[in-house]
Amino acid sequence: MVDTRKWTRVERSSGDSREWETFVRPGADSSLRHVGSVTAGSEGVAYEQAATLFGDAADIWLCPAEAVCRYAECPLCDRTEAPADA
Amino acid sequence: MISVSKLLCGLAAEGDGLRYDDPSGPDQITEQRQRKPVVVWNTTKGCNLYCEHCYASAETEPATGELSTAEGKRLINELAEFGVPVVLFSGGEPLVRDDVTELVGHAADRGIRPVLSTNGTLLTRERARDLRDAGLAYAGVSVDGLPETNDAFRGEEGAFDAAVDGIEACLDAGLKTGLRYTVTERTVDDMPGVIDLLHNVGVDRFCFYHLDYGGRGAAVQDADLTPAARRRVVRRLCDLTREYHADGAEIETLLVGNYADAAFLVEYARKELGATAARRVYEYLRRNGGDPAGERVADIDYRGNVHLTQFWQRYALGNVRDRPFGRIWTDTANPLLARLRNREDHLSGKCADCCYRDVCRGGSPLRALAVHGDPFAPDPQCYLTDAERQRDVPPADGDSPDSVSEPAD
Ligand code: SF4
């Protein structure tokens, strides 16, 4: 049985901007990876921005940041004096 | 950040160890380069002013989602653990946050050098003393022109006088205080007058920022200088610095945000000071490593997003609420971060074979992105001539100062 207490749900907001989590597949055979986020008012502008930054990618996926549920092992809200390996 | 005064006048200024790995004086050049980034933390998006060129696109009301005091302290803990040498508390206007003194104190307690970037208008004498007591190492106050120019740019009449009051409050408290000045078409003519005025107030450190094309700065690109005008103003600053020093006033002058300046300083030294001095300037700047985006400077915005520089707010590598800063910053599986850290292999156009690419590294990737749609294209604000880009570096003894001529306007 998995102990889901290992992870904490991260509550965070994008402030007053629209943020798009960005994923790229570096090559046709590689797996998709998260490469951060772009801030843009519309999907079209977000796509343009991601495409200029990751022009070599085989695929680009964008997801509105507010649609993502994040469960993290080491979120800021749980961190105390010093993270183990930072 | 390029210290004009240090390079041209040999001034050993506080903090230069971070830029040149030269803790022991101007004649020592060490192998070690700064390995951990200086972190700019935009503690809030709120500001009491509305400046035309604000890279953070600050608003008069704070945005939702700001890191709380407790989160800020945890963040500082992990920045200290990661080895960050300096945190620059910025905004918006950081002094609209009530807890900024507490956060500055926390950074100082954790061994980080806390510095402040402020518009100065909220700096009362009491606040300046509290910040000093908390351990603030330096306050950089933004002024953009003489009163009329500054107030129009900053969107508030009286902002200039209020900033000068703030500077005086800091100086009275014994805080090291300097000017931050963004050079644009509208502010360039006021530059010598502002240096003169603030030097009389007691300021001895003057940082001049080139406009980067982020935030509202992108919308005022049209107000930016032409490359030829930029060359003239950098030359003027070099001349002015040397004139002040010749008169016994050891002001510190710095240029920020355009590493073609580094190449120009070598050229200037070659012409005005001779090949030996030019070689020394070149070596310093080569160790300094050129444009720092994604390497020697990092930015964390008010909501915890980590950016490649403070001006590059529309792209984030990750968020410190999800993942510790150190893990985000060292994750070179991110292809953009990996390319930036290895950018010599990706520079294109005139940068690809420029003799100064070691001291410049293609200039600002953000300006290149804004103008050419490619962060590895040449900085559109490079003002070096073709002849200068094809010289022998480091400068050799046979180089006659007369062989360097200024381009015709
Ligand atoms: S050509 Fe490129 S590398 Fe050379 S000084 Fe200009 S921006 Fe820098």
Side-chain angles (χ1 to χ4, degrees), chain A residues 25-46:
Chain A
R25 192 185 310 285
D29 297 327
S30 35
S31 49
L32 209 58
R33 61 162 297 126
H34 181 237
V35 289
S37 63
V38 292
T39 294
S42 68
E43 180 192 326
V45 177

Side-chain angles (χ1 to χ4, degrees), chain B residues 260 263 347 350-351 354 356-357 360-363 378-379 382 384 389:
Chain B
L347 294 178
K350 63 180 183 179
C351 298
C354 173
Y356 284 113
R357 63 185 181 282
C360 170
R361 306 186 80 211
D379 185 335
C382 173
L384 235 57
R389 286 192 302 101

Side-chain angles (χ1 to χ4, degrees), chain B residues 45-359:
Chain B
K45 202 177 180 191
C47 186
N48 59 322
L49 300 179
Y50 193 89
C51 303
E52 281 179 21
H53 55 69
C54 179
Y55 71 78
S57 304
E59 302 290 343
T60 43
E61 291 300 317
T64 55
E66 283 180 358
L67 297 181
S68 66
T69 310
E71 286 177 308
K73 287 184 172 177
R74 282 187 214 118
L75 172 63
I76 288 167
N77 291 345
E78 66 188 49
L79 295 179
E81 188 70 16
F82 183 61
V84 164
V86 176
V87 170
L88 172 64
F89 291 85
S90 183
E93 169 50 51
L95 294 177
V96 303
R97 270 187 79 135
D98 292 336
D99 59 355
V100 89
T101 305
E102 191 178 341
L103 294 167
V104 162
H106 192 76
D109 288 347
R110 291 294 183 278
I112 294 179
R113 186 170 185 260
V115 298
L116 182 73
S117 168
T118 170
N119 64 40
T121 59
L122 302 175
L123 270 168
T124 59
R125 275 165 171 71
E126 189 186 357
R127 207 125 194 231
R129 276 195 301 270
D130 288 348
L131 285 162
R132 175 204 62 198
D133 293 345
L136 187 72
Y138 175 74
V141 180
S142 298
V143 173
D144 291 303
L146 289 164
E148 199 182 323
T149 316
N150 177 75
D151 293 1
F153 215 50
R154 299 201 159 268
E156 176 131 335
E157 209 171 308
F160 182 93
D161 292 339
V164 174
D165 285 349
I167 288 170
E168 287 177 328
C170 288
L171 292 170
D172 285 353
L175 265 173
K176 173 104 177 136
T177 308
L179 166 78
R180 298 169 59 93
Y181 193 102
T182 304
V183 185
T184 66
E185 210 169 47
R186 284 171 63 177
T187 63
V188 64
D189 291 340
D190 289 357
M191 198 180 88
V194 170
I195 296 178
D196 184 46
L197 194 150
L198 291 184
H199 186 243
N200 287 334
V201 168
V203 174
D204 60 5
R205 189 175 197 264
F206 302 86
C207 296
F208 296 94
Y209 284 72
H210 296 286
L211 193 64
D212 219 329
Y213 299 166
R216 283 200 285 276
V220 292
Q221 267 179 50
D222 291 348
D224 203 3
L225 299 173
T226 62
R230 183 171 313 284
R231 184 181 177 103
R232 279 196 299 276
V233 70
V234 173
R235 164 166 278 283
R236 180 86 183 98
L237 184 66
C238 293
D239 291 342
L240 261 178
T241 303
R242 292 175 65 220
E243 286 163 21
Y244 270 85
H245 280 245
D247 288 346
E250 296 207 334
I251 60 169
E252 192 185 356
T253 51
L254 301 107
L255 285 161
V256 188
N258 186 337
Y259 271 80
D261 293 346
F264 180 81
L265 274 173
V266 179
E267 291 293 320
Y268 181 97
R270 198 191 301 245
K271 184 174 183 186
E272 303 292 338
L273 307 169
T276 307
R279 257 200 311 277
R280 203 180 121 222
V281 170
Y282 175 83
E283 275 308 318
Y284 265 87
L285 291 165
R286 195 176 60 76
R287 302 258 182 241
N288 187 33
D291 182 88
E295 291 180 276
R296 302 189 317 282
V297 174
D299 178 84
I300 301 172
D301 72 21
Y302 66 98
R303 57 194 163 163
N305 272 348
V306 176
H307 303 282
L308 295 158
T309 76
Q310 67 268 45
F311 305 109
W312 203 330
Q313 295 278 325
R314 297 181 79 79
Y315 170 67
L317 295 167
N319 187 291
V320 298
R321 279 184 166 128
D322 302 335
R323 204 178 179 203
F325 173 82
R327 289 189 201 165
I328 296 172
W329 197 248
T330 54
D331 185 359
T332 47
N334 180 312
L336 179 61
L337 193 59
R339 289 177 83 197
L340 267 176
R341 294 199 179 153
N342 197 18
R343 73 184 83 172
E344 292 79 358
D345 294 346
H346 303 284
L347 294 178
S348 61
K350 63 180 183 179
C351 298
D353 61 356
C354 173
C355 66
Y356 284 113
R357 63 185 181 282
D358 280 356
V359 301

Side-chain angles (χ1 to χ4, degrees), chain B residues 25-47:
Chain B
D27 296 324
Q28 284 278 321
I29 297 171
T30 66
E31 289 299 323
Q32 287 292 309
R33 206 160 99 183
Q34 179 199 333
R35 302 228 177 269
K36 295 292 166 63
V38 167
V39 170
V40 179
W41 177 17
N42 308 110
T43 54
T44 177
K45 202 177 180 191
C47 186

